[in-house]
Amino acid sequence: ATLQSTILKERAEIFDTDFQMSADANHQNIQEREREGGRMVEKGTSLLKKMEISVAEAEKRTGKNAVNMQETYTVYLIEMRPVDAASEGTNPVPDSLWRRYSEFELLRNYLLVTYPFLVVPPLPEKRAEFVWHKLSADNMDPDFVERRRVGLENFLLRVASHPDLSTDKIFYSFLTEENGWKETVFETGFQAKADSRLKALNATFRVKNPDKRFAEMKHYGDELQSVISQLLRVRARAADRLYGVYKVHGNYGRVFSEWSAIEKEMGDGLQSAGHHMDAYAASVDDILEEEEHYADQMKEYLFYADALRAVCRKHELTQYELEMAAQDLTSKKQQREELATGTIRTFSLKGVTSKLFGQETPEQREAKLKMLETQIEEGEELVKERNAECEEFVKSAWVDIERFKEQKDHDLREALISYAIMQISMCKKGIQVWNNAKECFSKM
Amino acid sequence: MFTALLTFKKNVDTTLTDGSSFNASMQTSPASMINQYKFEEDADTKDIFVTVDNPESHVTAIETYITYRVMTKTTRSEFDSSEFEVRRRYQDFLWLKGRLEEAHPTLIAHPLPEKFVVKGMVERFNEDFIETRRRALHRFLNKIAEHPIFSSSEDFKIFLTAASGELTSHKKQGPGFLSRMGDTVKAVAAAVRGVRNRPQEFTEMQEYVEAFSQKISSLDKVTQRIVREQKEYLEELKECGPTYALWSQSEEELAEPLKNVAGCVDRCCKETEEQVKNLSDHLIPVLHEYVLCADTLKAVLRRRDNIQADFEAKTEALATKKADRDTMRNDLDKAEDRLEWANNALKSDWTRWQKVMRTDLRSAFVDTAERNVSYYEKCLAVWESFLHSQRTDAEGNGKVDFS
């Protein structure tokens, strides 16, 4: 929270004022927006108008797991405060409950299955990736836990500020009902609704006419994921090296100090210059901590890319199912025609066997025709249904994709700006240290 | 201090026991000698300027070697003309240094660049190596020119002015092989004998030199490590810009800021590259020379000790032996004079050296600090221009309402 407020303050100084995005007329969903640490978080939802949500703390717990073994895990405290309380000046005890990461995962999986046409906000990473040597990859490491806490809060705020997701009852009970929530989620039977991976993969390969925009979006999602991964990797390596450069300067401090002991006139200058070299070496820790914050912002969109692709894959699936139904209908209609006119246009085993073993009786043919008619009727209903589904999906998904695009453009631009501000701050510190050192050296 | 030396010289047989002799022409008019010794006031009235440049490769049947152009501009009266241009090779510099040290064993000469680069198989004729060597040779000659006694050496004058043929024949003069052998034997004998009553101040000097040598070597190593780490940082940083540029190709609204960031990172890379080069070109050579200086100081102290050991041995010999007393008394007097001369020379030059060292290292570190400040200032400007562009962009697009 302090890092974010420093960046906000510095940005306010540079831009002279707070900025507010004006509403975009096309999107009635998008109303008043505020920046929260540089991220676009809509405060327009009714949920956020009433309640302030935060993930305030993290704690270690031990307990028995599913196979009755002792395990240590971390729980996070979710707090809900009524919005008016802050303005009234009263400070009532917030509603709060503890949740662990796996429960957040369950919530998200539920949302993914229930709202496949929405770009569902991502969770912070399960395991630390793209670490540079000083950062721990250990899930129990306090720095990792802290960054995860921030990421989980961000997730909740993203969901709470989404016009559709914020109204979900399971989400609300996640925030309010500590016990029995898990059972409630399972009772929705959402797991049965989930598409099998195989089914989805099959659709991706076989769909014939996906909406061009979704195909492009999917491609964009692939590129975004690839390029952000590369950026995070390169950045982590550069951070490692930068750390080395700064820390070696600490050796100057030590040697200057030792050298000053044997000199008369040069002693004081050397000694004080040495202190500045120590300060320089130490300054890299803060610098890199701020950069982690930037990396986290990038990571969020790395994972968002996945959510985007999921929506596109779902479109492919619905489109494919429509195509399958339509294809099936066409073939049934063709069969009817053949049966009715007695001509065989398409090769069919029935056709061959009937030629070989004699044709069916008129009664058999009549029965068959009747069955086909029913099937065709059902098929037409199915096609209608699936067509409607598909259209509905395309409509709602595209609205959310447009919303996501705007959010992404805003957030990432803000992230780049805050990166620049960080670099400026680093340069200013460097200028100060070396000017101080120069003064000391000139007294040598 | 040096005026005392001058009087000394007049009373003493100028032939030293090691066989070398002061060239008579070195002793010019007393007045001009006194002028040269007042080095502190000379800072603004420098009357000799030497440059080393223009390396050229020479190929003969036997070898390939590099020569450097040495240009001298001077108003000193002992020089026949005011401008000279000669070509010299590394061997010639070695010869000069050797002559100066022979003539003044307890004066502190600035070090020459090393013969070979120890680390790695660096080609002797590699451009960077030649340039580094050229700069070091330039500094060497300038330090000699600034030294009150060395700069009036006849050998120095010949080095600066003689045509190649002349120099070669001059080099052939000087003590013969046998007498040089004799010197070496005497020096070894003295070293083995060891000095008994070294005055406290010289012991303190030795302790200082030990510690100084360690510290300056550490600084040299630390600086080299910094250069290595920065080069590795630069390698990674060089990949960041292109990644942002690649990203910008998939984006619409974000394309411009991403391209901009890519440009900024690339510019910072260039600045970092220059900064690394600065450290290598400016700070490291100076630190390295002072590491070599420490070795020179150790050698000087050793030579002084040997002169004292020689005197102590002769004193003992006079006390114990009965024959040849007159010769021995004569030798002892000479040894005593030599010792006193050596001690005084060292003491004065020690003070001078400390001042020069302080100046050199101070300005090297101040220079480094300034370059670092400049580096950060340039990077700062790069990122501020990015922020500025984002601000004007936002206003221009009408997307942001700065109300």
Side-chain angles (χ1 to χ4, degrees):
Chain A
T2 10
L3 288 171
Q4 292 176 359
S5 55
T6 316
I7 289 174
L8 286 178
K9 205 177 76 179
E10 292 189 13
R11 190 183 296 109
E13 282 165 16
I14 287 164
F15 286 102
D16 264 358
T17 175
D18 287 325
F19 63 82
Q20 288 210 303
M21 299 278 280
S22 56
D24 185 340
N26 285 344
H27 299 270
Q28 291 98 339
N29 287 340
I30 301 161
Q31 294 152 36
E32 181 199 67
R33 290 169 193 175
E34 266 178 45
R35 276 169 320 132
E36 273 253 327
R39 295 191 181 94
M40 195 165 92
V41 169
E42 303 156 29
K43 294 267 172 161
T45 61
S46 51
L47 176 60
L48 282 177
K49 281 208 167 92
K50 278 190 299 188
M51 306 297 277
E52 234 177 66
I53 305 172
S54 67
V55 175
E57 283 167 39
E59 248 181 42
K60 272 215 203 44
R61 297 272 168 86
T62 40
K64 291 257 165 90
N65 68 5
V67 288
N68 215 30
M69 287 178 59
Q70 276 287 89
E71 63 166 0
T72 315
Y73 56 91
T74 312
V75 285
Y76 300 87
L77 183 68
I78 301 177
E79 285 186 346
M80 295 255 279
R81 256 192 196 85
V83 163
D84 331 35
S87 49
E88 275 169 22
T90 57
N91 208 7
V93 175
D95 289 328
S96 62
L97 45 72
W98 295 93
R99 293 270 185 229
R100 52 186 295 192
Y101 186 83
S102 57
E103 291 174 281
F104 280 84
E105 279 185 307
L106 181 58
L107 171 64
R108 186 163 189 268
N109 287 337
Y110 164 79
L111 293 175
L112 279 171
V113 172
T114 315
Y115 304 90
F117 50 93
L118 296 181
V119 181
V120 176
L123 284 172
E125 55 193 351
K126 190 157 187 149
R127 262 166 282 282
E129 271 183 69
F130 304 111
V131 283
W132 57 282
H133 90 275
K134 220 219 148 201
L135 279 191
S136 172
D138 174 20
N139 282 5
M140 286 292 159
D141 179 78
D143 285 333
F144 179 77
V145 168
E146 171 58 19
R147 290 194 0 259
R148 181 181 265 192
R149 181 195 67 75
V150 171
L152 291 174
E153 182 177 286
N154 187 56
F155 166 74
L156 292 180
L157 289 174
R158 292 275 196 204
V159 175
S161 64
H162 190 287
D164 303 320
L165 295 174
S166 61
T167 58
D168 185 274
K169 292 203 168 47
I170 294 288
F171 174 59
Y172 190 76
S173 58
F174 178 86
L175 298 173
T176 52
E177 283 170 41
E178 185 148 23
N179 301 312
W181 174 79
K182 264 189 168 168
E183 286 70 25
T184 319
V185 184
F186 290 131
E187 274 166 25
T188 62
F190 80 93
Q191 287 162 318
K193 288 190 246 159
D195 299 317
S196 82
R197 276 179 172 253
L198 201 57
K199 202 166 101 179
L201 196 62
N202 188 41
T204 301
F205 284 125
R206 291 198 169 166
V207 67
K208 297 210 181 77
N209 282 318
D211 184 307
K212 261 209 170 60
R213 297 173 299 171
F214 284 82
E216 281 170 10
M217 261 301 119
K218 188 162 148 221
H219 183 64
Y220 170 75
D222 290 337
E223 288 182 342
L224 187 67
Q225 187 175 66
S226 162
V227 85
I228 295 186
S229 298
Q230 190 178 320
L231 185 65
L232 287 170
R233 259 198 311 275
V234 169
R235 191 213 73 85
R237 288 201 300 259
D240 218 3
R241 292 292 165 212
L242 189 65
Y243 183 80
V245 171
Y246 272 76
K247 286 302 178 189
V248 177
H249 280 82
N251 290 337
Y252 270 153
R254 184 180 49 84
V255 180
F256 282 153
S257 181
E258 291 169 7
W259 183 13
S260 73
I262 60 170
E263 297 289 344
K264 296 186 204 90
E265 296 112 338
M266 296 204 287
D268 288 337
L270 277 175
Q271 181 85 310
S272 41
H275 290 148
H276 291 299
M277 290 296 98
D278 287 334
Y280 182 70
S283 70
V284 74
D285 294 314
D286 282 344
I287 289 169
L288 289 177
E289 195 187 313
E290 279 190 49
E291 275 216 8
E292 275 321 302
H293 178 67
Y294 172 73
D296 284 341
Q297 289 175 290
M298 287 295 148
K299 269 183 210 171
E300 192 192 14
Y301 278 91
L302 175 66
F303 303 138
Y304 253 127
D306 223 25
L308 182 64
R309 288 186 324 181
V311 173
C312 298
R313 278 198 302 270
K314 182 69 181 179
H315 161 74
E316 284 171 344
L317 188 57
T318 51
Q319 173 71 11
Y320 177 67
E321 297 196 321
L322 170 62
E323 286 173 6
M324 286 287 97
Q327 202 178 308
D328 198 50
L329 181 64
T330 311
S331 113
K332 291 243 154 40
K333 284 188 175 167
Q334 212 149 40
Q335 279 178 43
R336 179 182 61 182
E337 199 197 310
E338 285 168 14
L339 213 54
T341 60
T343 57
I344 296 171
R345 279 230 192 89
T346 59
F347 176 82
S348 79
L349 200 55
K350 269 243 163 73
V352 170
T353 52
S354 69
K355 271 243 154 101
L356 288 175
F357 300 113
Q359 297 218 355
E360 308 151 307
T361 63
E363 292 83 15
Q364 278 176 322
R365 214 197 296 159
E366 202 52 49
K368 237 189 226 137
L369 256 170
K370 229 174 163 195
M371 194 176 71
L372 266 176
E373 285 292 345
T374 330
Q375 283 178 346
I376 285 171
E377 237 177 81
E378 288 172 351
E380 279 177 338
E381 270 310 306
L382 185 64
V383 168
K384 231 162 108 184
E385 217 179 275
R386 294 225 171 134
N387 200 27
E389 262 175 45
C390 214
E391 268 180 27
E392 181 62 42
F393 183 93
V394 165
K395 209 173 79 178
S396 355
W398 197 251
V399 165
D400 204 48
I401 285 177
E402 292 274 307
R403 182 204 61 81
F404 168 75
K405 273 205 284 198
E406 227 180 294
Q407 175 195 300
K408 169 207 50 128
D409 286 342
H410 173 272
D411 288 352
L412 289 175
R413 189 164 162 273
E414 286 297 307
L416 293 175
I417 288 174
S418 59
Y419 181 74
I421 291 177
M422 259 189 269
Q423 296 304 304
I424 287 174
S425 160
M426 180 177 103
C427 290
K428 284 189 177 160
K429 282 190 208 150
I431 290 171
Q432 190 183 45
V433 162
W434 285 104
N435 268 331
N436 288 340
K438 177 182 155 186
E439 235 185 85
C440 297
F441 285 137
S442 37
K443 296 203 188 103
M444 260 168 76
Chain B
M1 232 334 129
F2 288 102
T3 40
L5 251 183
L6 180 56
T7 355
F8 227 55
K9 256 194 196 161
K10 287 190 174 156
N11 298 339
V12 167
D13 179 0
T14 54
T15 310
L16 303 177
T17 44
D18 62 5
S20 66
S21 57
F22 287 112
N23 197 311
S25 63
M26 191 170 118
Q27 293 189 17
T28 55
S29 74
S32 68
M33 291 280 259
I34 290 169
N35 273 342
Q36 282 158 23
Y37 298 163
K38 288 190 184 155
F39 64 91
E40 281 147 32
E41 291 107 70
D42 260 357
D44 300 323
T45 55
K46 204 167 147 183
D47 57 0
I48 182 164
F49 297 85
V50 183
T51 50
V52 176
D53 60 12
N54 196 253
E56 259 175 27
S57 172
H58 295 256
V59 185
T60 68
I62 317 163
E63 57 173 348
T64 309
Y65 60 92
I66 308 271
T67 62
Y68 302 85
R69 179 174 71 166
V70 178
M71 286 211 300
T72 309
K73 291 198 170 81
T74 180
T75 53
R76 288 189 184 171
S77 49
E78 60 267 30
F79 285 80
D80 296 331
S81 146
S82 62
E83 280 186 37
F84 295 91
E85 184 176 317
V86 296
R87 294 207 73 89
R88 296 287 178 249
R89 57 186 289 191
Y90 182 75
Q91 268 181 21
D92 300 332
F93 286 82
L94 273 178
W95 167 85
L96 175 63
K97 182 156 193 250
R99 292 288 294 174
L100 295 175
E101 282 179 339
E102 252 183 84
H104 309 280
T106 60
L107 289 185
I108 304 164
H110 198 69
L112 275 175
E114 285 136 318
K115 279 191 189 163
F116 317 108
V117 177
V118 180
K119 259 186 262 191
M121 302 292 289
V122 176
E123 175 58 46
R124 260 193 325 140
F125 304 106
N126 165 285
E127 254 183 54
D128 280 340
F129 176 76
I130 292 173
E131 176 58 17
T132 309
R133 180 176 264 199
R134 181 198 69 74
R135 289 193 192 156
L137 292 175
H138 175 91
R139 277 194 295 274
F140 168 77
L141 282 186
N142 274 280
K143 287 280 198 276
I144 301 298
E146 285 159 16
H147 192 290
I149 298 191
F150 285 143
S151 76
S152 50
S153 146
E154 180 68 13
D155 291 312
F156 183 51
K157 177 159 161 260
I158 290 178
F159 178 91
L160 293 178
T161 60
S164 310
E166 269 182 66
L167 180 65
T168 317
S169 58
H170 176 79
K171 277 191 194 183
K172 292 200 176 119
Q173 295 171 20
F177 178 69
L178 280 175
S179 77
R180 280 211 293 275
M181 270 299 288
D183 301 341
T184 316
V185 171
K186 284 195 185 123
V188 168
V192 165
R193 200 178 297 128
V195 71
R196 303 254 182 80
N197 289 311
R198 190 197 288 129
Q200 178 63 10
E201 65 185 309
F202 295 115
T203 303
E204 280 170 10
M205 262 186 216
Q206 187 163 62
E207 284 165 5
Y208 171 85
V209 171
E210 267 311 313
F212 175 81
S213 174
Q214 270 177 25
K215 300 314 154 201
I216 207 78
S217 295
S218 292
L219 287 178
D220 187 29
K221 287 201 192 93
V222 169
T223 311
Q224 291 197 29
R225 177 125 179 253
I226 290 177
V227 166
R228 267 202 309 276
E229 296 280 348
Q230 282 200 315
K231 281 188 175 157
E232 294 192 347
Y233 170 63
L234 192 57
E235 282 310 299
E236 302 301 344
L237 197 63
K238 277 190 177 156
E239 299 200 26
C240 280
T243 305
Y244 283 110
L246 177 65
W247 187 357
S248 73
Q249 290 172 14
S250 322
E251 297 287 344
E252 292 159 7
E253 287 297 311
L254 284 177
E256 184 272 323
L258 284 169
K259 264 195 271 219
N260 208 324
V261 168
C264 289
V265 173
D266 286 340
R267 279 179 4 246
C268 286
C269 269
K270 287 212 172 60
E271 297 302 339
T272 306
E273 214 160 7
E274 206 185 294
Q275 212 239 7
V276 171
K277 193 166 177 296
N278 281 337
L279 268 182
S280 298
D281 287 350
H282 296 106
L283 183 58
I284 287 183
V286 174
L287 290 176
H288 195 61
E289 270 168 32
Y290 275 92
V291 170
L292 295 177
C293 265
D295 291 338
T296 305
L297 290 171
K298 287 180 194 167
V300 164
L301 287 171
R302 262 199 311 275
R303 288 198 286 265
R304 191 218 69 85
D305 276 355
N306 288 348
I307 293 174
Q308 178 166 341
D310 182 60
F311 165 71
E312 286 173 350
K314 294 202 161 83
T315 311
E316 221 181 87
L318 192 65
T320 53
K321 297 210 179 119
K322 304 294 173 188
D324 291 322
R325 289 191 77 90
D326 282 339
T327 329
M328 281 205 280
R329 162 126 282 140
N330 207 10
D331 281 349
L332 180 61
D333 285 343
K334 281 195 220 163
E336 189 171 8
D337 288 339
R338 227 171 75 221
L339 179 60
E340 196 168 335
W341 186 315
N343 285 348
N344 289 335
L346 176 54
K347 279 192 278 200
S348 316
D349 218 25
W350 178 254
T351 313
R352 183 200 62 86
W353 178 84
Q354 287 210 299
K355 282 204 175 74
V356 171
M357 179 270 284
R358 188 176 163 200
T359 308
D360 282 352
L361 292 177
R362 177 176 56 213
S363 70
F365 282 115
V366 166
D367 179 66
T368 302
E370 279 177 352
R371 286 178 200 277
N372 282 336
V373 169
S374 164
Y375 162 73
Y376 279 116
E377 281 177 345
K378 290 196 196 126
C379 290
L380 180 71
V382 165
W383 290 107
E384 281 190 333
S385 78
F386 170 76
L387 279 188
H388 181 75
S389 77
Q390 292 309 299
R391 179 183 186 169
T392 49
D393 228 32
E395 285 174 351
N397 284 347
K399 274 194 165 180
V400 181
D401 173 26
F402 283 101
S403 55

